[in-house]
Every structure is written in C-alpha cells, then in structure tokens.
C-alpha cells in the first residue's frame, strides 16, 4: 500500500523541504526544551468528511527515525474518510513531532481540501460519461500538487501548463483572421503529439473549429441548452469541454448536455482546507 | 506610489520565477503564432469587491519591456476595490501578455483572497482595541506571501514560524511538570529578545502563566464569558490572545471580551480566491 | 531582428551561467594580465557551411557592456551560412572577450551542429509532405536546447519528454494484454489534451491501434514497402511516424512511403560540431 | 569493482537529477498503466564495439530498490566491449525501468561515444611516448563528464578550465609586447602551483618561450617536419604540445615528431554516440 | 550522545556540501593514487585548550561508509578539551580521509574558535546573573553556525537577524521625533510576539524608553558607573543590555553593574581559530 | 577605478545574496517605520589602520538606486587606509541603508581583516625575493573571498583547492613506497598542466623529491638553519616553500633562508576583523 495515489507527483521532496524551511527557519525555539529521549504517541484525525490527499508528505515527515519509533497509515491518498477517523498514527521523538506537526498538517489540509471539493463535483455527475477537470487557475507554486489532488478526488487533469497542449483563444483568432488560419498556424509549429483546443463562443465558431480539425472544442460560457444543441449536432467529431459558470448547483445540468469534459477553476483556486488535527495519547 | 504595502515580502522574486516556470515549462506552445511586433492593450478588472494584494507580481510580469509599452497602476496593495474597477492596465507584446496573464492573475486572486477575508474580520471588530492575526496554518510555500496579504487586509501577523517566538503547549507543560517550570526552561535557552506565549485552557493555568511572566497568554477554545472574566481579572498583566472557534459570526463577541489579539486560522488556510480577470481592448 | 528563432528556449540563461561556471571556475588565470581599458575588435566566423543556432548565447556573453563597445549580428538562428561568413562581430573589453570566447563558441558549435544535420535531412525530403522530427535520444542536459536547434534546422519536435505525450510500447501492450486494452488504460488516466502514440511492428498491430483510435502510429523498423502499403490502406485514419533505420541515404525513400513524420535519433545524439572560430582584427 | 574509472566525477549526482528532470517533467504519462507489483528483467546491450563510460549513471538509476530487484554489472567504465555484449542487467519495477531507461542510455551513449573516440586516438599512437589530451572545446554542461570519459578512453586531460592553468596566446603576447614580458606578467599574478603554457607559431617563438621558462609550449598548427625539428632542438627543456590539424589519419605522424602531448578538440565536440540499447526478457 | 549541542543548526548540511565543493572542485588530484581498498586509522587531536564546536560536521564527513570502517566520538560540542585530547578517531578509506580532512578541520577550527572565545567571556562573569550574548557582527555566511557556537561556549544569542526582533536606533528616533513615538510606530506594525529594544545613550533616554514600555534597553557605550546608576534606578522595569567597549578586561566590571545582558561583537567577528589537527597511526 | 582589485572573485554575487538573506530573513522589522521618501547621508569610516578589501560588496549593496541617491568610493580594494579615513560615502533611502548596513560592514570587516594581516606579513619580508601565500585552512564558505583578500594584502595564493595542484604528503609516500614512486604515480594521472608539490621533512627527502622532478618542495616545520642549507644546496632546481611555525616574529628569518614561498595558515583562519563602522550626517 503506497502513500501516493498512482505515481508520486514529481518534485514533491523539494517542495516539502522548502515548506519545512518556511516554518522552522533558524530553528524551533520551543522544541529545545525536550530531552532527545522523550517520545510521543501521536494520531492525525479527520475532523470532517474528506477525500484524503497528502499522506505521503506526512509519512515522509513523521516516519520512524530510530528504534521504537513507528508510523502506521490507516488510509491512503484518494480514500474517503469521515470525521473521527484516524488517518495516520505513530510514535516518534517528541521534539521532532512538535516541530514537524504543522507542516504535515498544512499539506494534508490544503491538498485534501482540493481532493474533497473535486470529489463533490465528481459525485454530482455520477453515472454520466463526463470528466471533471481542473484548469490553470491554481495557487502559485502548487500546480503539480493541486493537479495530483484533483486526481485523488476522482477528477482528471486538463493540460499542466502552457507547454503540453495548445489553446487558441479570441486573441489568437483575431491575430490570424480566422479560426482555420489560427489552427493551421499553430499546428504548423507544434509537435504532431500536441493537441489543439479552440475556445468557441457560438455555434458558428464550433463548426469552424471542427472543420479545422480542432482536437478539443471549448464551449465557453454557453447555456446548457446551447451546449446540448451543439453537442447533438457534432457528436463524435471532436471532444467537447464546457467551461464557465460551473458550480455544484449547475454541474449536473451541464454534464447532461453530453459534453465530454467540464473544467472547474474553483477546484484549485477556491477549495477550503479540510479539517485534520493531531492528537497525542 | 509603490506596488507593495510597506516593505516587499522578501523572496518574492524567486517565488515568482518558480511559479512562472510551473506554467511555462519548456515554452508556451500557442504564443509562437504571434508576430513579435504585435502588441495588445490589456486591463485587469476586479469582478467582485476585494482588498487588493499582489499587484507587485502583476507589475513585475506585465511591466513595459520596450518602447511603446506601458503599465499604469490604478490601485495598490491594501486598497479596497469594487466589482468593475480596473486595477492595472497597459500595453505590451501580445505573446508576452498571453504567456504571463495566468501567472499574474493567480497571484492576484490568491493573495487578494486572503486580504479580502482578513478585511472582513477587521471590519467585524471595527472600533474595538483588538488585533486580528494569522496563524501558522498557511498554504505550503506561501507563508511569507500570505502573512503579507494579512497585513494588506488590515490584520497583523502572529509569529512567522517556529523560529521567531516561543509557544508553550500542553506537551511542553507535561514534559516539564508545570507551566512555571516550562516557561523557566524555555526562557533559559531562548534569546532575551524572544517572547514566550503559553496556551492555557483554564483560569488556573492563566494565573500560573502570568505568575511565570509569560509575555503572551493564549486563551484556547474558551467561551467569551470565561475569556471576559479572565481578562478582567488580569488586565494589564500580559497580552491576551483568543484562539479557537473564531468565525465571522463570533469574532465580535470575542473581541468584546477585552482580549488584545484574536488569531484566525481560516485567514490563510481557507480563503477563497478573489475574482479578477484580464480584458483586452 | 531577434537572436532567437521564435520564442527563446526557456531556461537558457541558467544553462548559460552553469556552462560559464564550468569554464571560469575560480577565475581566468591568464586574463588578469590585461588592462581593464584594453579593448579588442572580434569576429565570429563560420569555417564550414552550416545552419546557425545559438547566437543568443553569443550575444548575451559578448554584448556591449560599456561605452565604445558594440555587437553586430549578421545572421540569426536558422540562417544558412557559408564558410568564411562573419556571423557576429563587435568590440569589447579584451579580458572579457578572451574569458567568454570559448563558452560562446561551444554553444554555437554544438547547437549549429544539430541544426546543420537537421537541415540536411530536411533538404533530403524537400518537396514531400513529411516532417523530420527529433527523439528523446538527446545529449544529457541539452534536451531543450537541442530541440530548439532541430526547429532552427527546419525540423519539428516530437514530444519533449515523458510528460507531454503518451507512447505505448510492447511492454505496455504485454502488460495489458492487447493494444486496445493498453490504449484504453492509458486514455483513462491521461488528460483529454494528451495524444497517445502506439509503436507497431506489423500491419495487424497498426490495424488494432487505429481501431483503438491511437492519435499517432509508429511504424517501427519496417521496410519502405511495408510502410507504403500500410499508409495506403489507412490514409487519413491516424498520423503515421516512421522510426528506425533512418539515415541520409534512406530518408527520402522512407518519406516517399507517405508517412507524415520521420523521427531521427542521430539529429541529437550524433551531430558533429559545426566549425566556427573567433578572429581578432 | 566500482562503477567508476578512478574517482567519481564530482557533481555527477546533480547532473543526473537535472537530466532526469528534463525527461520526466511533471511525470511519465504512460508509466501509470503498470501495477507497482509488476517487475521486468532488463539488459543493456552494446550494439557496436565501444569503450564503455557512464555505467555509474545507469547503476544509480536502475539499481535495486526493493526485495527481489537486482542489478549486475558485467563491465565497468574504461572496459572495451563488442557488439552483442551485455553491459548491465537486472530486474526492477516495470514502470521505473521504463521511466528511467532513456536517461540511463543517453548518458551511456554520449559518454561512451567520447571514450570510444578517445580510444581510437590512443590506439593510433600505441607504443609512442605521447599523451592524447582533450581541450576546452566541450559540449556545454558536460565539461567534467566528458573529461572523465576521455580518461576512460585512455586519454589524459588538459586543464579543466580557465582556472587551473594559464595559457598565453597571441593576444596576450601583443598586449605585453613580447613572450617574455607576457610570461613574466602572468607568472607574477598566478600561484607558484600554476603552470604556464605559451602558444607558439614559429621556431623563434618557441625559443623565446623556453627562454622565459614556459612550463608547456604549444606548437600551433605546425607541420610534422617543423615540429620534429623544434622538438629535436629543445628536447628536455619544456613540455611540447601539438595542436591543430589532428585527426585519425595524421595523429601517428604527429606523435612521431617527439611531442609529449597531442590535444584533440574533436574528442569532446564531435564524438558520435556509442550504440547501446535496452532489451527485456 | 549526540554530536550536536541541542538541536542541529538548521541548514548545516547544505553549508557542508557548499564548503566541500569549494575545496574539492572537479576532484582531488592527489587522492587518485590510493587503492580503494586502502584504509587509514585517523585521530583528530586538540593542540590547545578549547571549547569544542563542529563535531557534527566532522562526523558527517568522516563517518563509517562501509564494513571495517568506524568513527568514535570522544567529546561532543560544548565540551572543554585540553591540548593533546583526542576529539574524534576512526578508520576509513585512505583517499576519502585525505580528501575530507581539511574541510572537517576547517569547520572544527573556525567554530571551536568562537566557542572557546565565548567560554572565556562566560568564565569572566562566573557567578554573576548576566548573559554573554552575540551580535549581528558575524562572518558572512556563518550567522547560524557562529550563533550555534556561541551557545556551545555557554553564551546566549541576541536576535538572529533583522527579522526576529526590533531595534530602535538614533535614526529611528530622529525620524519619529521621540523615543515614545518611535516605539509606538514600530509596535503598531510588528507582531505582538516581537520584542522591541531601544538603543539609549543617556539616562534621560532610558527613562523615556522605559516609559514607552521598551522590552529591552541597550546602554550604548556607557561607563560602568553610569550603567550601575541607571540599573539601580530602574531595576525590574525592563531588560538591560550593555554594549560597546566590552573586552575580557572590562567584562566583569560591566557585569557587576547589574545589567542582564552583555553583547560582545568580537565573539563572532574576531575569534581566532582553535588548534586541531589530524594524526594517522 | 574599479571596486575590485583585479578581476572580481567569481561567485561573489551569489555569496552576497546568501549573506543578505541570513540577516534580513522574512524582513527588517524595524525599517518599516521610515517613509520611502526619507533619505540619509552615510559614510563608512575606518576606525583603525587597515588594508581595504570588500568595497565591491558595499558598493553593490549601497549604490544609488534612484534619483538624488549617490555613492562615492574614496579608496579601493588593496588600498591602505588609516583610522578616520572615509572609505565610501553616499546618500540613499534611509530604510535601505539601515537594512543593508550590517551586511556591507560584515564583508568589509572580515575581508579587510585578512588583507590587513597579509599586509603585515608582506611588510615583514619587504625587500626579500619571497612570496607570502595562503593555505587551504580557510573559513568555511569563504575560500574564494579570503584568497582574494590575500591578494589585496599583497600576498599570493597557493592552490585554490584539491583540484588545481597536487600535493604529496607522507601518507602518499607510504602508500607508494618512495617519493619517486609517489611522484611518478601522481604524474601519470594528472594533467601535464598540473604542478606536483612534495612535503619533505628532511634533506634526504628533499634530494629525492628533486630527483623525481617535483615542481615544488615544501620544507615542513624545519629550522631556518636547515632550510637555508637545503636551499643553498639545491638553488634553482625546484621551488621551495616553507611551512610551519610561521608568525610575525619568525617570518623574516624564514624568508632570509632563501625560500621562494612562505605559506601562512593564520592569514585565513585567524585574522581578526578590521574596524570599520557607518556614520550618518
């Protein structure tokens, strides 16, 4: 049983050390008062229902460092936990646990917050053939970790950044004179392994994008009725992504239009922290 | 008029470059389709009421890079803006603006979210002699930036981390046998420039902490009535910090107990993003 | 006129500083013998026909640093130059020029070597609707720069790495039992913006990959005749990439099979340096 | 039996991580489809005769990470292998092997290419009392690794950079008015542990350099006959280095002139990759 | 028994690697002449009386790396040793020991120098209720390590830097018009966890600072008689720090004035190295 | 007039930023109380006679940042100054000057301390044909800067580290059986540009080292009489370096033995800080 949901998010160790340095700085002024022999029995407990994410950070921080110390993981990333569940527990040097507790919890709370919110969107479209995906509206420095948390919550990822997918917006279209010209220009420079998405605001634009063989068509801020009509007209001709105006009240109606993908910015820019804390026995 | 509210948060340039690298990676696949001569007139607009924070990032990213390019700041960090207000505007190379837009907005949205939430707490205690302060429950990697955002929102900072203030909790007390022994042990190792705070859960503990000359006493998860009684009993003998159970409904009642400081974890772990977007003319 | 062929390869400044540090270490022992006032008129000359790449590095190193110093670029990245052509020339502080000369030339020689070899492959398929693309067989640490050099030489890029495209090989197929199962499993985890390529060694595998809607099909080490037959059978159903056994003698015959893309490992793992040197007047 | 030929090239681990990051980026999109329990039996095979270099990188990447995994090295850096020889083999987690294969091979192919080319020059002067040495014409970022590969191939190193040896060229001579003045000026500033080499283009310059007690005299682009005459005249008075016009056809004649050292730029700027690939059982 | 006196100084491993890189650079040219099987029995011996500091660095460098190698620590940081005492001893690979010896000794000599000088000041005030503390006058890059050495020598730390304590000097007072205005302005911006110190040059300033509730008052370059009078007048009202004109001849008289803290710049800017060397058996 | 004595010590900017970060951390708590418009007229004054070193750091920190700000350098690195001399002066933003003052002074005091001590040794051997050189006994992290300071003080450098010169000690001799065998083994592996020094403890060892063509012979802890006899016997056959027992009382007698080089560890491990401070007008 691995701490990570699928492959580890690359770069996580460096982010962990950078985060720890933020908190510890030149040293934990209070921890010095404990004897190095003192150990403590600790538990991390969920205080509300959540989809778990970030246990790998907690495990790396609080894992056993010498004889008599241990760590036991009860749940792993992607698991759904309820208020009162013990997520991780163990025994370790008292001063170490107190120094590392906050960093471990900050990762767990932040990332489980994203996973939990994603899980609510995924639940809302249960049974429908649609993906909930994230956007590039992420918290600075947390792109890779938040996208991992979205996967833990049952969502999928949109492109990771500007480098692994092309997105043609109105500015690009204006610069090239037409959607077909813009798609052709971009296709000419990008790899044959790069997909091209076109942001469309009308049925006419959608038709033009499909004619230009756009790999993905974004239906930008359209009403469910409009989206349903467009999807019905072009079923199987491209991949449709709905974007804009998505919240927990509207997402199911949007999913029912038949779009393949719904992108939700708030998954990563406005998730509130999951409640977890540490208890000592 | 500087972009920053007081001194710049140290380290911000490195965090900016690290964040930009997350998004741009090996290059913006779509931007290559613009001529280097093409320029665009852009505006960043608030889409809801907010306390602004992060304009220094936007200015560093979108500032003029050659003749004919310009940037004009209409509001600065700490200013309150309303939906529809133009925060920053300018003209710059089209491909640059499109490449940098998302990173600039992600900083603005994340940090203004924290400043805006702080502003709501500060408003809630208006007229009372109390500080709203943050905690160490921050989003990983954003400690310094979020604490800056709290200041922009009218709040104050608690200690930055484990290294610039001592906090004695129940574990420390248990390890040393009593509050007075714990305070003495910590005082013996820390600098004469370090303040010592003691977490107290009862009136008895408060009395003991004050007798031990604790610089700050935290009233942990107490009812307003209990806090008011304790503060009345010990007025002027130490600095009182209320912690636990603080939200926008309860904060004024807590402030009215006479405590000096109210610490609020959600300022930094659960602020939702402020709404800002970029428009082109 | 910019030094770069399209957008700058991201990260180039850090690579430049790291490379300069390799050579200069704790200081140029010989350069100290020149007066700081001494300046020198320098030229970088091509000693053989080449497609130029890396002038941005030379410009960053040798550009004017004070009054009376200047740099003039005669050719830019992507230009074809002949033996004897002056590529860049200028005047600068003598000790600086001598200290930086080798680093500037090492970038120019290495990257122009890749661009020049790419240009020969591109010439060899002139007039045919096919792309010459690189692979992941790059010199360690030079992935991004070599891929840029391929573009300068008229080629296109394959995926940049393991993160911006999926490639299903025989191991993946074996692990999942069939091409269709492997494609389905990969599609289920990757973004809707990710293309999936399948390595095929027979016409049967090609048919199965196309049935599984592979975005790209690699024809691995097949004879031109086999490739031509396969392409004829499935024209328009996917993108065909020829791989294996490609050299300057075979590439045109391979291109004539009708494949869309030919990938060539030697572009980046076995290009010899272009000849350029610095002269002083 | 160590993976390295003599001491490890310092800094190799950082270069390995930087190189791996180039390829893996935000994660291997295809590897996620394997179960973590799946393991694979792999072999790295030479596909042509070569002098091996870089096995330490392959071992660090593919070494056993858990029970049941193993790695066995059949040859070490500096060994000569033939087409078909198995260089390294082992068993490891399938997804890991597929993710790391290309980085391991890229190091092996690049560095064995340099060692193999060096070996051919060393063979060409077999039996003669002369060293084949490299130059500063190295591939950016690979200075230390390529110099290590030259040693693996039986060659020796020239100075590593501008900091560990002084080289007086025509510009330095012109700046100081004479070879003797230039040598004196440089000797006055450098350490008593620093050797001074003088580039000479005529017998007269050689005589002047020797009179100035140059530690090493470079015979720059001279004919073998001229070099032989100069060496005969000054035998034992300094160390002679031949430079310019060196290739596999000319190197033995140059060695027979009696020079002590022959420097060859192409060892490091124009070695083609050695052929090695990975096979699975 | 830990190598460190209390918690490890954070960041020490990175400083160790950076320091080792200074010395080893591209490799130890002389070490290559030993067989990897050769091992050596080494001892680090004190050559003069000293307070030890830095054994953690020596242990990290010279600790056992394979079977048959060992390291034994005889003294730990903070211990007082006499000339001839063996501090650490062990057996390790000969080439490793010779490569690492100088870096290990440089840390031990530099840090033990600071600890030893601190110990002499602490001895000089033995029996008096006063702390010897350091200042910000530290050797560049060694702030954290030197402050750790001061603690090893029996001293205490002043603030670590500009970020963990506020210090009001004459410029601040002039800018705000009065001590009370300056203290109020600073208190308004800093955390409730931050102490404020005021530099005073007269009894009047001291009275004003105490009235403004300064946490610490610095008596700057005052005579012992003046300090004694001031302390007597304000006993218990603040913390008094003596600064200026402190040396081993004057420190006891200063301590006898009743000040709480004496800060000594020379502890960190002018400690001479302790004498330690390595012997082989 | 440049701030640096000869070429800048490479890497100084990174060391400056790292040092500044030590002091400023998360921000200067006290500086926030100044208006950004407030400027101050500052001077850095020598408080004792010294050889100056480090003005480049001060200039980089305190140089003019906007209109009305200025910096004027009165002395440069390597100059001898007397108590009371103004070294640098200028006008700059008050909060900036106060934040940067200590870092600037710490560099100046530390490096001028080394230069000043070197100058005293150089003065002590005035008129004799001998070099005062440093050793590898440097303060951690300051190798390159301290070696630069030695040059500013009129001394010369020994090798910079283990990588730019070979030193054969008793362990190497024992491992190879004889001095001649050890020299031959080392010469066989190092570059033809590398000098080899042999540590000798007797006249017999010196004779053997010279017979083995050692480039430099170290006379280790010998009496002046012994050194004089050895130098007389072997004049012109190698370079002689005296080491051990060197202090300001003994150095002239050692120089009079005729050795070429005297190495002095205390230059870099035990220099006390030069006295400089900042004044405001």
């Amino acid at each position: 049983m691995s701490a990570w949901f699928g492959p580890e998010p690359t770069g996580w160790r460096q982010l962990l050390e950078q985060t720890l340095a933020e908190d510890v700085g030149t040293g934990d002024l209070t921890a010095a008062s404990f004897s190095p022999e003192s150990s403590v029995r600790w538990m991390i407990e969920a205080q509300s229902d959540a989809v778990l994410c970030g246990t790998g950070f907690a495990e790396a921080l609080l894992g056993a460092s010498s004889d008599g110390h241990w760590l036991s993981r009860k749940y792993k990333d992607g698991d759904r936990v309820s208020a009162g569940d013990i997520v991780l527990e163990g025994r370790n040097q008292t001063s170490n646990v107190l120094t590392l507790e906050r960093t471990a919890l900050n990762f767990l709370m932040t990332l489980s917050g994203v996973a939990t919110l994603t899980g609510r969107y995924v639940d809302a479209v249960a049974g429908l053939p649609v993906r909930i995906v994230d956007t590039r509206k992420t918290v600075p420095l947390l792109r890779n970790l938040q996208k991992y948390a979205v996967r833990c919550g049952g969502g999928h990822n949109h492109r990771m950044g500007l480098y692994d997918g092309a997105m043609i917006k109105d500015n690009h279209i204006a610069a090239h004179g037409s959607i077909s010209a813009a798609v052709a220009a971009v296709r000419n420079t990008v790899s044959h392994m790069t997909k091209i998405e076109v942001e469309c605001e009308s049925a006419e634009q959608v038709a033009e994008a499909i004619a230009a063989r756009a790999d993905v068509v974004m239906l930008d801020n359209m009403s469910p009725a409009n989206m349903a009509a467009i999807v019905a007209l072009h079923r199987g001709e491209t991949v449709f992504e709905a974007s804009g105006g998505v919240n927990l009240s509207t997402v199911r109606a949007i999913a029912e239009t038949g779009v393949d993908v719904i992108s939700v910015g708030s998954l990563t820019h406005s998730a509130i922290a999951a409640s977890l804390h540490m208890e000592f026995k």
Side-chain angles (χ1 to χ4, degrees), chain A:
Chain A
M1 186 174 75
S2 156
W4 301 103
F5 178 83
E8 304 175 0
T10 57
W12 71 273
R13 278 202 175 272
Q14 187 196 320
L15 296 177
L16 173 54
E17 289 184 17
Q18 199 177 340
T19 303
L20 191 58
E22 281 188 329
D23 197 30
V24 177
T26 46
D28 181 344
L29 292 174
T30 326
S33 63
F34 290 99
S35 147
E37 280 75 36
S38 164
S39 75
V40 68
R41 178 79 169 74
W42 59 269
M43 289 168 294
I44 293 178
E45 183 189 45
Q47 297 174 283
S48 61
D49 295 0
V51 179
L52 209 55
C53 184
T55 58
F57 288 96
E59 186 169 336
L61 287 164
L62 298 166
S65 58
S66 69
D67 290 348
H69 295 173
W70 54 274
L71 177 144
S72 170
R73 203 150 27 74
K74 302 303 182 190
Y75 293 95
K76 64 181 189 307
D77 283 4
D79 284 350
R80 301 201 167 205
V81 296
S82 303
D85 284 344
I86 303 303
V87 172
L88 289 150
E89 59 182 336
R91 174 174 289 283
N92 214 319
Q93 201 186 23
T94 306
S95 63
N96 259 2
V97 173
L98 291 174
T99 301
L100 305 173
E101 166 190 3
R102 178 52 34 214
T103 299
L105 288 171
N106 284 350
F107 275 109
L108 276 170
M109 290 170 64
T110 298
L111 298 181
S112 299
V114 172
T116 302
L117 182 57
T118 304
R120 295 179 67 194
Y121 276 91
V122 170
D123 288 352
V125 299
L128 296 174
V130 70
R131 288 182 169 194
I132 299 297
V133 308
D134 47 40
T135 65
R136 287 169 47 239
K137 297 182 179 179
T138 51
V139 167
L141 301 164
L142 296 189
R143 175 72 52 90
N144 203 15
L145 297 182
Q146 287 190 320
K147 294 231 165 195
Y148 167 77
V150 166
R151 298 195 300 271
C152 289
H156 283 78
N157 297 144
H158 206 298
R159 58 176 178 164
M160 297 301 288
L162 295 163
Y163 57 92
D164 65 337
M167 173 81 80
I168 293 175
K169 304 187 178 187
D170 48 1
N171 289 70
H172 301 85
I173 298 167
H176 291 286
S178 71
I179 286 179
S180 58
V183 172
V186 170
R187 180 170 287 133
N188 191 44
T189 61
V190 300
S191 171
H192 64 287
M193 290 295 284
T194 303
K195 282 197 178 175
I196 299 173
E197 177 165 3
V198 179
E199 269 191 29
C200 295
E201 291 171 358
S202 68
E204 292 68 31
Q205 285 195 316
V206 171
E208 190 179 351
I210 289 173
R213 289 180 296 114
D215 297 289
V216 182
V217 166
M218 180 193 285
L219 306 177
D220 194 24
N221 271 307
M222 293 185 185
S223 71
N226 281 355
M227 289 194 278
I230 286 170
V231 173
L233 191 62
H234 297 284
R235 191 172 309 279
E237 299 176 14
T238 190
V239 170
F240 285 106
E241 172 182 336
S243 173
V246 184
N247 57 48
L248 282 165
S249 312
T250 61
V251 67
R252 190 161 186 95
I254 294 170
E256 287 169 343
T257 63
V259 294
D260 305 286
V261 173
I262 302 173
S263 55
V264 189
S266 60
L267 296 185
T268 51
H269 70 57
S270 292
I272 65 169
S275 286
L276 296 112
H277 72 156
M278 187 179 278
E279 285 289 327
F280 302 96
K281 258 196 194 158

